[in-house]
Amino acid sequence: MNAKNIFKLCVIGSLGMATLGLTLMVSALPAAAHGERSQEPFLRMRTAQWYDTRWNPQKTNVNDEAMLSGKIHISEDWPRAVVKPNRTFINVGSPSSVFTRLSSKVNGTPMMTSGPMEIGGDYEYVIKLRGRLPGHHHIHPMLAVNGAGPIAGPGGWMDIVGNYKDFTNPVKLLVGGTIDTETAGLTAGLFWHVVWGTLGFLWIAWFSIRPMFLIRARVLAQEGGDALLNDPVDRVVAFGMLGVTFTLIAIGFFYTDSQYPYTIPLQAGEPKIKSTHLKSDLTVKVLAADYDVPGRALRMTLQVTNSGEQPLSIGEFTTAGIRFLNKVGVANNMDPTYPPEIMATDGLHIEDESPINPGETREVKLDSRDSLWEIQRLMDLVHDPDQRFGGLIMAWDEAGNRHINSIAGNIIPVFTRATAG
Amino acid sequence: MALFRTAEIIKASKLPPEGVRLSRMIDAVYFLPIAYLGVFATFHMHFDLLAGDWDFWIDWKDRQFWVTVTPIVEVMYPGAIMYYFWTFYRQPFGATLSITGLLVGKWITIVFAWYWWANFPANFVMPASMVSSALILDATLLLTRSWMLTAIFGVWAFAMMFNPTQYAIFGYSHQPVVIDGQLMSLADYMGFTFVRTGTPEYIRIIEVGSLRTFGGHTVWISAFFSAFVSMLVFTIWWQIGHFVGQSFFWVKGKRGVMSRMNDTMIVGTDEFAQRHGTPDGIAPGARVAARTAATTIS
Ligand SMILES: [Cu+2]
């Protein structure tokens, strides 16, 4: 552990202590606040609904490639309090640039700049990364919405091993040759900063090797003092400095221009990405939902109609990047690398577990019960300005085909255990 | 034949040799820790609040906003500081002092905050250097000895020389690259490849606006516009320098009337005593005589 890390830990530690102290003042709950949990539940449940997130591989060498991928559904029930996703950017939430981003594709289209997203649309993103800074990093996909801020997706741990000194990030230039983004233009930039800085300090030094203030002020106060302070040698130096400055500017400009004959301005266009839509043979309507505060459970009564040809079983409810599964979900959609801290493999209970048959309409009582509701701070729903919840319901047929429905509805809190049933 | 007029100036100041030595000590203490550090700390904060992001990131350095905003913001402090050093000392280094000071602050930030703490390479967060423009501005004031001619010619050159100076530093970043079949400048790609969690792409305020007449010569149109606004801003800040740099004091004259004295250098001179008397009401010559007499008696 070197001095830099110790210093960083000290600063982070003291910030953490300050945060903890402040939190204890307002709440008795321990402050395990990591960015994503501090966002309000209604915002996390009803904006971007994240699913199929993958951090691959979980261990990367410096310079090796890794992938962050997954899908988002833009909730139909986008809250009124949040600016609509007219200009969005799929970002990576990481502690500084621990990876560099090599490419980012959304529904197959490169998303290098920001663009609009459609409410109710579905987007699959694939972000190619390159390991840069060794360490154990918590990485989130993020949907940044202009005017609303970043909406963090689920976070997973990714390790980068090796040595930062070996890191390079070469890019092919259109006119031929490659350039490393880590060092491109660094020499020229430092050179000109040193040149101009030196000239600037020389100019100041020229006047500071002589009496600077008190004496000159006294002379200036006298008759003829102004003329006396107008030293001819300073005028010569000023003319010289003007000449040197203009000459250097011209040399720098024309030399650079000849070095890079083909240049383009910054590109500020926007990608127009076509959305896809969720496919499901089920129609799901939220009849009622309540929220058992002490029991840490969300209970929903859904009216589910199967208009397909196969019997379907509900296996997963996912919201705010947190997954609640039952046996069906585990059998069909269990990714062993998914962070266990944001997944409850026995967190979904259905009163009648038999599959919903083709043509059948059934009232389904769904209960997603787990301490994750509290750990992930989704309990705070009751303090939100908008008492609605949302999420994705996933169901599977015998062959393992998935059917996804985005749901949203009103939610009523239940405060005491006595009324919980 | 001496290089400088220093000897003549010292003589004209009528300070005794120990006063001259003391004045050099005041120069050192006042100039470095007070004037220089004060300017660099406050100007750095002022600049980062008004034009920070354009200066921080390579993918914000566009032809419209960066070129317009930077000179306008960077001419503010020089205006006030130049007023102060010129009016009271006829020292023509106010702009260079402000802008080298700003850059000292910038580089401390780059090394410790950007590189050491946040792990961004220096090329990605390279600041612009307006020292060239500052030298032009200072030299213009020295040669014209007029704030108005400085505002017209010096500030005009200050803003117009911004882009050609920066081109030597940032020209490389406009080389085209193709990523996933899409044309970008290297600067755009660097903005994309270095992940900034809290600064998504749409935060950039670049290349929007209507300064697009005269075909593709956007950068010169922006520079002209910037130069005109900079002239106005320079004048305003020169006046701010005038306002906060006033030095006067109130004296109670022989008849008991308070009057404002702008000539601060007159204090302690015989002329002052003759006009206003001395605190104990005795003329300077008489006071010395009285003190000598008192010493003798005791
Ligand atoms: Cu995290």
Side-chain angles (χ1 to χ4, degrees):
Chain A
M1 180 162 258
N2 57 29
K4 175 178 171 180
N5 286 336
I6 293 171
F7 178 72
K8 281 189 178 184
L9 281 175
C10 288
V11 174
I12 292 169
S14 44
L15 287 177
M17 289 299 285
T19 313
L20 188 68
L22 284 174
T23 314
L24 285 173
M25 279 163 66
V26 292
S27 151
L29 290 171
H34 185 216
E36 68 268 26
R37 286 183 226 169
S38 64
Q39 284 182 317
E40 291 161 302
F42 81 99
L43 194 144
R44 288 154 65 198
M45 291 164 98
R46 283 164 50 218
T47 48
Q49 293 169 332
W50 305 87
Y51 63 106
D52 292 359
T53 316
R54 272 185 186 87
W55 300 259
N56 189 28
Q58 279 159 319
K59 193 174 183 178
T60 316
N61 290 315
V62 167
N63 282 329
D64 280 1
E65 287 182 18
M67 200 88 85
L68 176 65
S69 62
K71 294 174 187 152
I72 45 172
H73 176 73
I74 306 296
S75 170
E76 286 83 352
D77 197 40
W78 191 276
R80 181 186 164 193
V82 181
V83 175
K84 302 288 179 288
N86 297 324
R87 186 170 294 275
T88 62
F89 186 64
I90 298 240
N91 208 349
V92 177
S94 61
S96 98
S97 194
V98 296
F99 286 100
T100 50
R101 177 167 34 201
L102 303 180
S103 104
S104 175
K105 286 189 177 171
V106 179
N107 283 351
T109 305
M111 192 182 205
M112 256 76 101
T113 51
S114 324
M117 279 192 176
E118 180 205 334
I119 286 190
D122 252 57
Y123 299 89
E124 178 173 17
Y125 57 89
V126 179
I127 303 169
K128 234 176 18 173
L129 303 165
R130 174 177 282 147
R132 179 166 175 259
L133 296 169
H136 183 58
H137 308 296
H138 207 217
I139 308 291
H140 299 252
M142 267 186 165
L143 178 70
V145 178
N146 195 5
I151 297 161
W157 293 100
M158 291 174 97
D159 289 311
I160 299 175
V161 290
N163 198 335
Y164 168 61
K165 285 196 179 71
D166 304 329
F167 178 76
T168 55
N169 196 31
V171 200
K172 257 233 218 59
L173 296 166
L174 182 61
V175 292
T178 56
I179 201 163
D180 184 358
T181 58
E182 206 74 9
T183 52
L186 189 61
T187 321
L190 291 177
F191 172 78
W192 285 107
H193 269 281
V194 169
V195 166
W196 291 121
T198 308
L199 275 182
F201 287 129
L202 282 177
W203 175 257
I204 298 172
W206 176 255
F207 298 97
S208 56
I209 53 175
R210 290 170 275 166
M212 295 170 82
F213 301 122
L214 184 63
I215 286 174
R216 290 177 73 94
R218 285 178 67 91
V219 172
L220 193 57
Q222 294 166 20
E223 230 183 287
D226 187 28
L228 183 60
L229 293 178
N230 187 8
D231 197 327
V233 71
D234 288 340
R235 303 182 67 80
V236 174
V237 166
F239 273 119
M241 189 54 97
L242 279 182
V244 168
T245 304
F246 281 116
T247 309
L248 280 177
I249 292 174
I251 290 173
F253 181 82
F254 289 111
Y255 174 71
T256 311
D257 201 39
S258 70
Q259 233 185 339
Y260 310 114
Y262 304 104
T263 56
I264 58 164
L266 293 183
Q267 298 299 296
E270 70 177 10
K272 307 278 195 294
I273 295 165
K274 266 214 159 81
S275 62
T276 54
H277 291 92
L278 292 173
K279 282 192 188 73
S280 178
D281 286 344
L282 295 181
T283 318
V284 183
K285 197 176 149 198
V286 179
L287 296 178
D290 64 38
Y291 187 71
D292 178 359
V293 178
R296 303 191 281 214
L298 175 71
R299 291 175 306 211
M300 303 163 250
T301 309
L302 310 172
Q303 189 189 66
V304 184
T305 307
N306 183 351
S307 51
E309 277 148 23
Q310 300 287 328
L312 293 168
S313 303
I314 293 175
E316 180 171 342
F317 174 64
T318 180
T319 189
I322 298 150
R323 304 172 59 188
F324 301 91
L325 300 100
N326 61 11
K327 284 194 196 84
V328 178
V330 169
N332 286 288
N333 203 26
M334 182 64 191
D335 169 9
T337 62
Y338 200 85
E341 67 271 18
I342 48 173
M343 177 165 64
T345 46
D346 185 29
L348 190 69
H349 305 277
I350 307 174
E351 223 170 58
D352 176 3
E353 288 191 332
S354 64
I356 301 147
N357 289 313
E360 186 189 348
T361 297
R362 187 194 293 173
E363 217 168 88
V364 176
K365 286 211 188 295
L366 207 68
D367 188 348
S368 84
R369 180 182 296 273
D370 197 273
S371 56
L372 275 181
W373 283 104
E374 179 161 333
I375 296 166
Q376 294 296 329
R377 306 183 73 175
L378 289 171
M379 297 270 289
D380 282 347
L381 194 60
V382 73
H383 299 121
D384 282 0
D386 188 352
Q387 295 290 325
R388 287 172 69 80
F389 80 106
L392 298 175
I393 294 275
M394 296 187 188
W396 281 269
D397 63 18
E398 276 297 304
N401 297 310
R402 182 166 62 170
H403 297 251
I404 306 177
N405 288 76
S406 174
I407 60 162
N410 287 312
I411 189 161
I412 312 290
V414 178
F415 292 110
T416 56
R417 202 172 278 280
T419 53
Chain B
M1 179 78 193
L3 178 62
F4 300 123
R5 278 182 180 168
T6 310
E8 268 174 86
I9 291 172
I10 288 177
K11 194 163 157 247
S13 77
K14 295 179 193 151
L15 275 180
E18 62 268 31
V20 174
R21 268 199 308 279
L22 191 66
S23 92
R24 284 305 275 165
M25 272 151 82
I26 293 171
D27 284 354
V29 172
Y30 178 60
F31 186 62
L32 268 181
I34 299 173
Y36 207 79
L37 292 183
V39 165
F40 113 57
T42 55
F43 187 26
H44 186 195
M45 189 162 62
H46 168 101
F47 179 78
D48 279 2
L49 286 173
L50 289 173
D53 281 296
W54 284 286
D55 206 50
F56 297 156
W57 314 111
I58 190 125
D59 63 334
W60 280 63
K61 293 183 168 45
D62 72 328
R63 302 173 302 174
Q64 296 205 8
F65 282 86
W66 177 53
V67 171
T68 308
V69 169
T70 316
I72 293 173
V73 177
E74 285 208 29
V75 88
M76 292 177 175
Y77 257 57
I81 305 288
M82 283 168 83
Y83 168 86
Y84 170 72
F85 282 122
W86 183 255
T87 309
F88 297 118
Y89 312 109
R90 289 287 185 274
Q91 286 287 24
F93 51 60
T96 311
L97 174 118
S98 305
I99 289 183
T100 53
L102 172 68
L103 283 165
V104 168
K106 284 259 158 203
W107 278 100
I108 291 174
T109 313
I110 286 168
V111 171
F112 290 101
W114 292 125
Y115 183 71
W116 198 65
W117 181 277
N119 299 298
F120 288 123
N123 58 345
F124 184 52
V125 289
M126 180 78 65
S129 175
M130 286 198 81
V131 178
S132 54
S133 298
L135 287 168
I136 294 170
L137 198 53
D138 278 338
T140 312
L141 180 64
L142 188 151
L143 291 171
T144 63
R145 304 177 81 73
S146 146
W147 71 267
M148 194 178 286
L149 294 176
T150 305
I152 294 169
F153 298 107
V155 177
W156 188 81
F158 180 89
M160 290 305 280
M161 286 301 112
F162 175 73
N163 186 61
T165 308
Q166 309 323 315
Y167 197 68
I169 302 176
F170 301 107
Y172 81 95
S173 73
H174 288 279
Q175 297 177 86
V177 297
V178 174
I179 308 291
D180 290 337
Q182 204 160 316
L183 185 72
M184 307 170 98
S185 71
L186 180 63
D188 293 306
Y189 182 69
M190 283 167 74
F192 172 78
T193 201
F194 292 111
V195 173
R196 287 167 298 187
T197 297
T199 316
E201 190 277 332
Y202 57 69
I203 300 280
R204 290 199 292 177
I205 304 172
I206 56 156
E207 292 289 342
V208 284
S210 48
L211 291 171
R212 291 190 183 279
T213 347
F214 304 107
H217 301 286
T218 315
V219 65
W220 293 110
I221 310 299
S222 308
F224 255 96
F225 176 65
S226 180
F228 287 117
V229 179
S230 295
M231 287 177 195
L232 177 70
V233 164
F234 176 82
T235 311
I236 292 170
W237 279 76
W238 182 275
Q239 293 302 327
I240 290 176
H242 173 69
F243 177 73
V244 299
Q246 294 175 83
S247 70
F248 57 84
F249 56 92
W250 297 93
V251 287
K252 202 175 197 176
K254 285 173 182 163
R255 285 172 292 123
V257 176
M258 297 294 286
S259 56
R260 186 174 139 162
M261 176 67 71
N262 288 318
D263 185 2
T264 51
M265 284 299 147
I266 202 171
V267 182
T269 61
D270 291 352
E271 189 190 341
F272 181 82
Q274 277 151 22
R275 258 199 252 162
H276 301 284
T278 50
D280 45 7
I282 308 165
R287 185 168 56 168
V288 175
R291 205 187 294 140
T292 319
T295 320
T296 320
I297 291 165
S298 68

